[in-house]
Amino acid sequence: MINGKTKVFGLFGNPVEHTISPYIHELLYEETGYDGTYNPFHVREGKLSDAVRGVRGLNLKGVNVTVPYKVDVMEFLDQVDEMAKGIGAVNTIVPIHLDDKTDYILKGYNTDWLGLSMACDYEGIPIEGKDIVLIGAGGSARAVAFMCAKRQAASLVILNRTLEKAQEIKSILESSFERMTDLGQIPIMVGGLDELDLVKKGAVVFQTTSLGMHPRVDRTPLDEDDFFHKVDFIVDIIYNPKETIFMKKGKDHGAKVANGLGMLFFQAVKAFELWTNITLDDDQLKRVFGKLEKFVYEK
């Protein structure tokens, strides 16, 4: 039941009709007994600054930001978290009161890397001390790269069709090592999708491209047996379908695999925590995630 005390949250994006984020957050409200409502806001091109001003004007308690605004939104915020600055994208806006006055600042965070980190722990995917292979060089790949440095991976290999984009992530991450002292200064190598000699035995692989996503489920970025023989763990950030060709190929070669639903879920959990200061325990997380899986894959 929505009333005058209900806290209002939302999502800025273009488009937003496809999002399942409202369902995730409503599950979190139900689990914790929190009086909130989460609404998708279709922010049309050229209206992002107006939308951010609306956060203040409407006293919204928090907002997520999705494509195509994760980069552009930063210029309209008062502060941006250091990890979000490094990654170059904000997906969560948090109103922060600096004192007892009613005014507040808007601070931007990136919970994609936090959500992925939590999802890896939940799925039993190791990061610390592991050789990581990153396929793709888009916005999600940046979040993965910073997460791996934050969690002290042993090394990072970025494989991408366009070497310039892979090199850009390498340069951005390396330039952040001195400024962000909590990042591990891990060695980074880049190569094309055919440079499989860069992949070390026992690697943990993150597939961040859209290849294999519904409806074009017959696509995969790599199909070589020589690659999958080296891989122990695979995380594909696609969650529709539940198992991509890339994941199936890895599983057939003995790798432990996970899709992207965990990342989507836990980035929402971290945003909820930032907005409400409420932390769910392991039993609650398992219960809510189970409901989400049923909603996504059994509907």
Side-chain angles (χ1 to χ4, degrees):
M1 295 292 293
I2 296 175
N3 56 49
K5 296 181 180 180
T6 302
K7 308 297 189 297
V8 180
F9 303 85
L11 171 70
F12 291 168
N14 183 13
V16 291
E17 291 81 2
H18 64 287
T19 181
I20 64 171
S21 291
Y23 182 78
I24 297 174
H25 284 273
E26 293 297 336
L27 287 177
L28 295 174
Y29 303 152
E30 178 184 31
E31 179 65 35
T32 60
Y34 187 81
D35 185 11
T37 181
Y38 187 100
N39 307 275
F41 296 109
H42 185 181
V43 179
R44 300 191 181 278
E45 185 177 354
K47 298 297 183 180
L48 181 58
S49 62
D50 293 338
V52 175
R53 283 197 294 270
V55 177
R56 302 180 195 274
L58 297 172
N59 195 29
L60 302 185
K61 300 305 180 183
V63 174
N64 283 137
V65 183
T66 189
V67 292
Y69 299 128
K70 289 185 179 183
V71 176
D72 294 343
V73 75
M74 292 192 289
E75 69 174 286
F76 304 117
L77 304 177
D78 301 306
Q79 291 183 10
V80 177
D81 174 73
E82 281 300 306
M83 281 291 280
K85 283 182 183 177
I87 294 168
V90 160
N91 77 326
T92 301
I93 300 174
V94 181
I96 298 178
H97 290 269
L98 299 179
D99 50 36
D100 293 333
K101 298 179 181 179
T102 57
D103 199 15
Y104 51 80
I105 65 168
L106 298 180
K107 185 170 181 178
Y109 292 85
N110 186 298
T111 64
D112 285 334
W113 80 268
L114 288 165
L116 179 60
S117 181
M118 290 181 69
C120 287
D121 290 340
Y122 186 83
E123 299 284 358
I125 306 294
I127 305 297
E128 285 83 358
K130 301 296 289 186
D131 296 305
I132 309 296
V133 177
L134 177 54
I135 298 176
S140 296
R142 286 193 184 190
V144 175
F146 272 79
M147 186 272 289
C148 291
K150 180 79 169 181
R151 291 193 55 171
Q152 309 290 319
S155 67
L156 176 64
V157 172
I158 307 172
L159 303 180
N160 193 55
R161 183 178 58 184
T162 306
L163 286 179
E164 290 79 5
K165 290 185 177 181
Q167 183 62 51
E168 182 181 356
I169 293 181
K170 179 178 186 291
S171 300
I172 290 171
L173 187 53
E174 289 178 337
S175 67
S176 300
F177 286 155
E178 292 186 7
R179 178 172 57 85
M180 301 173 64
T181 56
D182 57 343
L183 294 180
Q185 297 192 28
I186 60 176
I188 307 169
M189 293 166 284
V190 302
L193 292 175
D194 58 344
E195 296 186 55
L196 303 184
D197 57 312
L198 296 176
V199 180
K200 295 182 180 180
K201 184 72 174 175
V204 178
V205 178
F206 290 90
Q207 200 296 107
T208 69
T209 77
S210 61
L211 294 174
M213 183 184 296
H214 179 81
R216 303 190 68 178
V217 298
D218 58 333
R219 305 183 71 190
T220 182
L222 283 169
D223 195 34
E224 289 80 0
D225 288 337
D226 289 345
F227 171 77
F228 290 99
H229 280 311
K230 298 180 179 180
V231 173
D232 283 356
F233 301 91
I234 287 177
V235 178
D236 193 327
I237 68 167
I238 293 171
Y239 69 87
N240 184 13
K242 184 176 183 179
E243 185 176 272
T244 62
I245 290 178
F246 188 79
M247 292 171 61
K248 185 178 186 305
K249 187 85 172 182
K251 192 161 68 173
D252 289 345
H253 284 77
K256 182 172 183 176
V257 303
N259 67 20
L261 189 64
M263 178 180 179
L264 178 66
F265 172 66
F266 284 107
Q267 66 81 24
V269 169
K270 292 307 297 185
F272 176 75
E273 289 180 0
L274 287 169
W275 293 330
T276 66
N277 290 317
I278 296 173
T279 301
L280 283 78
D281 62 35
D282 291 343
D283 288 338
Q284 289 177 307
L285 291 172
K286 184 177 180 179
R287 188 160 47 243
V288 177
F289 188 59
K291 291 180 181 178
L292 176 61
E293 284 187 304
K294 185 174 183 180
F295 172 77
V296 173
Y297 298 124
E298 298 182 17
K299 62 181 178 180

PDB file of all heavy atoms in Angstrom, residues 55-74:
ATOM      1  N   VAL A  55      15.027  14.867  -8.981  1.00  0.00           N
ATOM      2  CA  VAL A  55      15.343  14.102  -7.780  1.00  0.00           C
ATOM      3  C   VAL A  55      15.231  15.003  -6.561  1.00  0.00           C
ATOM      4  O   VAL A  55      14.662  14.621  -5.530  1.00  0.00           O
ATOM      5  CB  VAL A  55      16.752  13.487  -7.868  1.00  0.00           C
ATOM      6  CG1 VAL A  55      17.100  12.752  -6.574  1.00  0.00           C
ATOM      7  CG2 VAL A  55      16.855  12.543  -9.057  1.00  0.00           C
ATOM      8  N   ARG A  56      15.782  16.209  -6.696  1.00  0.00           N
ATOM      9  CA  ARG A  56      15.691  17.176  -5.587  1.00  0.00           C
ATOM     10  C   ARG A  56      14.271  17.702  -5.443  1.00  0.00           C
ATOM     11  O   ARG A  56      13.707  17.742  -4.341  1.00  0.00           O
ATOM     12  CB  ARG A  56      16.639  18.341  -5.837  1.00  0.00           C
ATOM     13  CG  ARG A  56      18.095  17.965  -6.016  1.00  0.00           C
ATOM     14  CD  ARG A  56      18.914  19.238  -6.249  1.00  0.00           C
ATOM     15  NE  ARG A  56      20.244  18.968  -6.776  1.00  0.00           N
ATOM     16  CZ  ARG A  56      21.301  18.689  -6.024  1.00  0.00           C
ATOM     17  NH1 ARG A  56      21.170  18.640  -4.722  1.00  0.00           N
ATOM     18  NH2 ARG A  56      22.470  18.463  -6.581  1.00  0.00           N
ATOM     19  N   GLY A  57      13.681  18.122  -6.570  1.00  0.00           N
ATOM     20  CA  GLY A  57      12.372  18.751  -6.523  1.00  0.00           C
ATOM     21  C   GLY A  57      11.277  17.847  -5.999  1.00  0.00           C
ATOM     22  O   GLY A  57      10.349  18.316  -5.319  1.00  0.00           O
ATOM     23  N   LEU A  58      11.376  16.559  -6.287  1.00  0.00           N
ATOM     24  CA  LEU A  58      10.354  15.601  -5.860  1.00  0.00           C
ATOM     25  C   LEU A  58      10.748  14.852  -4.598  1.00  0.00           C
ATOM     26  O   LEU A  58       9.997  13.990  -4.132  1.00  0.00           O
ATOM     27  CB  LEU A  58      10.081  14.600  -6.991  1.00  0.00           C
ATOM     28  CG  LEU A  58       9.509  15.193  -8.272  1.00  0.00           C
ATOM     29  CD1 LEU A  58       9.465  14.141  -9.370  1.00  0.00           C
ATOM     30  CD2 LEU A  58       8.111  15.752  -8.021  1.00  0.00           C
ATOM     31  N   ASN A  59      11.941  15.146  -4.066  1.00  0.00           N
ATOM     32  CA  ASN A  59      12.435  14.507  -2.849  1.00  0.00           C
ATOM     33  C   ASN A  59      12.493  12.984  -3.006  1.00  0.00           C
ATOM     34  O   ASN A  59      12.118  12.230  -2.097  1.00  0.00           O
ATOM     35  CB  ASN A  59      11.566  14.878  -1.645  1.00  0.00           C
ATOM     36  CG  ASN A  59      12.230  14.545  -0.321  1.00  0.00           C
ATOM     37  OD1 ASN A  59      13.461  14.550  -0.212  1.00  0.00           O
ATOM     38  ND2 ASN A  59      11.431  14.236   0.679  1.00  0.00           N
ATOM     39  N   LEU A  60      12.969  12.536  -4.178  1.00  0.00           N
ATOM     40  CA  LEU A  60      13.161  11.105  -4.372  1.00  0.00           C
ATOM     41  C   LEU A  60      14.274  10.627  -3.449  1.00  0.00           C
ATOM     42  O   LEU A  60      15.238  11.347  -3.190  1.00  0.00           O
ATOM     43  CB  LEU A  60      13.520  10.798  -5.827  1.00  0.00           C
ATOM     44  CG  LEU A  60      12.522  11.248  -6.896  1.00  0.00           C
ATOM     45  CD1 LEU A  60      12.973  10.769  -8.278  1.00  0.00           C
ATOM     46  CD2 LEU A  60      11.120  10.752  -6.592  1.00  0.00           C
ATOM     47  N   LYS A  61      14.182   9.411  -2.960  1.00  0.00           N
ATOM     48  CA  LYS A  61      15.132   8.892  -1.984  1.00  0.00           C
ATOM     49  C   LYS A  61      16.308   8.151  -2.625  1.00  0.00           C
ATOM     50  O   LYS A  61      17.254   7.774  -1.922  1.00  0.00           O
ATOM     51  CB  LYS A  61      14.412   7.968  -1.004  1.00  0.00           C
ATOM     52  CG  LYS A  61      13.286   8.669  -0.235  1.00  0.00           C
ATOM     53  CD  LYS A  61      13.795   9.918   0.483  1.00  0.00           C
ATOM     54  CE  LYS A  61      12.666  10.605   1.253  1.00  0.00           C
ATOM     55  NZ  LYS A  61      13.135  11.864   1.911  1.00  0.00           N
ATOM     56  N   GLY A  62      16.258   7.956  -3.926  1.00  0.00           N
ATOM     57  CA  GLY A  62      17.352   7.308  -4.620  1.00  0.00           C
ATOM     58  C   GLY A  62      16.936   6.954  -6.035  1.00  0.00           C
ATOM     59  O   GLY A  62      15.753   6.715  -6.299  1.00  0.00           O
ATOM     60  N   VAL A  63      17.923   6.934  -6.939  1.00  0.00           N
ATOM     61  CA  VAL A  63      17.627   6.652  -8.340  1.00  0.00           C
ATOM     62  C   VAL A  63      18.739   5.795  -8.929  1.00  0.00           C
ATOM     63  O   VAL A  63      19.921   6.036  -8.677  1.00  0.00           O
ATOM     64  CB  VAL A  63      17.497   7.956  -9.155  1.00  0.00           C
ATOM     65  CG1 VAL A  63      17.341   7.652 -10.643  1.00  0.00           C
ATOM     66  CG2 VAL A  63      16.317   8.781  -8.675  1.00  0.00           C
ATOM     67  N   ASN A  64      18.352   4.792  -9.714  1.00  0.00           N
ATOM     68  CA  ASN A  64      19.302   4.077 -10.563  1.00  0.00           C
ATOM     69  C   ASN A  64      19.347   4.740 -11.930  1.00  0.00           C
ATOM     70  O   ASN A  64      18.388   5.394 -12.353  1.00  0.00           O
ATOM     71  CB  ASN A  64      18.904   2.609 -10.729  1.00  0.00           C
ATOM     72  CG  ASN A  64      19.223   1.760  -9.525  1.00  0.00           C
ATOM     73  OD1 ASN A  64      18.423   0.941  -9.104  1.00  0.00           O
ATOM     74  ND2 ASN A  64      20.414   1.934  -8.972  1.00  0.00           N
ATOM     75  N   VAL A  65      20.457   4.541 -12.616  1.00  0.00           N
ATOM     76  CA  VAL A  65      20.639   5.105 -13.960  1.00  0.00           C
ATOM     77  C   VAL A  65      21.092   3.984 -14.881  1.00  0.00           C
ATOM     78  O   VAL A  65      22.033   3.254 -14.560  1.00  0.00           O
ATOM     79  CB  VAL A  65      21.692   6.229 -13.960  1.00  0.00           C
ATOM     80  CG1 VAL A  65      21.809   6.847 -15.355  1.00  0.00           C
ATOM     81  CG2 VAL A  65      21.347   7.296 -12.930  1.00  0.00           C
ATOM     82  N   THR A  66      20.421   3.839 -16.016  1.00  0.00           N
ATOM     83  CA  THR A  66      20.804   2.823 -16.980  1.00  0.00           C
ATOM     84  C   THR A  66      21.074   3.473 -18.333  1.00  0.00           C
ATOM     85  O   THR A  66      21.084   4.704 -18.457  1.00  0.00           O
ATOM     86  CB  THR A  66      19.723   1.719 -17.070  1.00  0.00           C
ATOM     87  OG1 THR A  66      20.222   0.647 -17.867  1.00  0.00           O
ATOM     88  CG2 THR A  66      18.423   2.238 -17.665  1.00  0.00           C
ATOM     89  N   VAL A  67      21.324   2.648 -19.346  1.00  0.00           N
ATOM     90  CA  VAL A  67      21.683   3.168 -20.662  1.00  0.00           C
ATOM     91  C   VAL A  67      20.584   4.079 -21.184  1.00  0.00           C
ATOM     92  O   VAL A  67      19.398   3.830 -20.942  1.00  0.00           O
ATOM     93  CB  VAL A  67      21.937   2.006 -21.651  1.00  0.00           C
ATOM     94  CG1 VAL A  67      23.174   1.230 -21.278  1.00  0.00           C
ATOM     95  CG2 VAL A  67      20.728   1.093 -21.733  1.00  0.00           C
ATOM     96  N   PRO A  68      20.971   5.173 -21.849  1.00  0.00           N
ATOM     97  CA  PRO A  68      22.335   5.547 -22.262  1.00  0.00           C
ATOM     98  C   PRO A  68      22.965   6.627 -21.390  1.00  0.00           C
ATOM     99  O   PRO A  68      23.825   7.381 -21.859  1.00  0.00           O
ATOM    100  CB  PRO A  68      22.079   6.105 -23.671  1.00  0.00           C
ATOM    101  CG  PRO A  68      20.753   6.817 -23.523  1.00  0.00           C
ATOM    102  CD  PRO A  68      19.950   6.011 -22.523  1.00  0.00           C
ATOM    103  N   TYR A  69      22.588   6.710 -20.112  1.00  0.00           N
ATOM    104  CA  TYR A  69      22.918   7.878 -19.293  1.00  0.00           C
ATOM    105  C   TYR A  69      23.961   7.653 -18.206  1.00  0.00           C
ATOM    106  O   TYR A  69      24.233   8.568 -17.421  1.00  0.00           O
ATOM    107  CB  TYR A  69      21.639   8.418 -18.646  1.00  0.00           C
ATOM    108  CG  TYR A  69      20.597   8.858 -19.646  1.00  0.00           C
ATOM    109  CD1 TYR A  69      19.289   8.379 -19.566  1.00  0.00           C
ATOM    110  CD2 TYR A  69      20.905   9.739 -20.670  1.00  0.00           C
ATOM    111  CE1 TYR A  69      18.325   8.780 -20.480  1.00  0.00           C
ATOM    112  CE2 TYR A  69      19.949  10.145 -21.588  1.00  0.00           C
ATOM    113  CZ  TYR A  69      18.659   9.665 -21.489  1.00  0.00           C
ATOM    114  OH  TYR A  69      17.707  10.061 -22.406  1.00  0.00           O
ATOM    115  N   LYS A  70      24.568   6.469 -18.130  1.00  0.00           N
ATOM    116  CA  LYS A  70      25.480   6.181 -17.032  1.00  0.00           C
ATOM    117  C   LYS A  70      26.711   7.085 -17.029  1.00  0.00           C
ATOM    118  O   LYS A  70      27.292   7.342 -15.965  1.00  0.00           O
ATOM    119  CB  LYS A  70      25.924   4.719 -17.076  1.00  0.00           C
ATOM    120  CG  LYS A  70      24.847   3.713 -16.709  1.00  0.00           C
ATOM    121  CD  LYS A  70      25.422   2.309 -16.655  1.00  0.00           C
ATOM    122  CE  LYS A  70      24.389   1.290 -16.269  1.00  0.00           C
ATOM    123  NZ  LYS A  70      24.975  -0.077 -16.139  1.00  0.00           N
ATOM    124  N   VAL A  71      27.130   7.541 -18.191  1.00  0.00           N
ATOM    125  CA  VAL A  71      28.296   8.432 -18.279  1.00  0.00           C
ATOM    126  C   VAL A  71      27.860   9.885 -18.162  1.00  0.00           C
ATOM    127  O   VAL A  71      28.391  10.656 -17.355  1.00  0.00           O
ATOM    128  CB  VAL A  71      29.054   8.207 -19.601  1.00  0.00           C
ATOM    129  CG1 VAL A  71      30.215   9.199 -19.731  1.00  0.00           C
ATOM    130  CG2 VAL A  71      29.585   6.780 -19.680  1.00  0.00           C
ATOM    131  N   ASP A  72      26.864  10.283 -18.942  1.00  0.00           N
ATOM    132  CA  ASP A  72      26.446  11.686 -18.992  1.00  0.00           C
ATOM    133  C   ASP A  72      25.916  12.195 -17.660  1.00  0.00           C
ATOM    134  O   ASP A  72      26.028  13.388 -17.360  1.00  0.00           O
ATOM    135  CB  ASP A  72      25.366  11.874 -20.063  1.00  0.00           C
ATOM    136  CG  ASP A  72      25.895  11.637 -21.469  1.00  0.00           C
ATOM    137  OD1 ASP A  72      27.128  11.643 -21.644  1.00  0.00           O
ATOM    138  OD2 ASP A  72      25.075  11.435 -22.388  1.00  0.00           O
ATOM    139  N   VAL A  73      25.340  11.314 -16.839  1.00  0.00           N
ATOM    140  CA  VAL A  73      24.727  11.770 -15.595  1.00  0.00           C
ATOM    141  C   VAL A  73      25.748  12.353 -14.628  1.00  0.00           C
ATOM    142  O   VAL A  73      25.409  13.182 -13.768  1.00  0.00           O
ATOM    143  CB  VAL A  73      23.947  10.611 -14.923  1.00  0.00           C
ATOM    144  CG1 VAL A  73      24.899   9.607 -14.271  1.00  0.00           C
ATOM    145  CG2 VAL A  73      22.952  11.146 -13.903  1.00  0.00           C
ATOM    146  N   MET A  74      27.019  11.979 -14.758  1.00  0.00           N
ATOM    147  CA  MET A  74      28.023  12.402 -13.779  1.00  0.00           C
ATOM    148  C   MET A  74      28.180  13.915 -13.718  1.00  0.00           C
ATOM    149  O   MET A  74      28.469  14.471 -12.659  1.00  0.00           O
ATOM    150  CB  MET A  74      29.363  11.724 -14.074  1.00  0.00           C
ATOM    151  CG  MET A  74      29.351  10.223 -13.833  1.00  0.00           C
ATOM    152  SD  MET A  74      31.003   9.473 -13.853  1.00  0.00           S
ATOM    153  CE  MET A  74      31.379   9.586 -15.592  1.00  0.00           C
TER     154      MET A  74
END
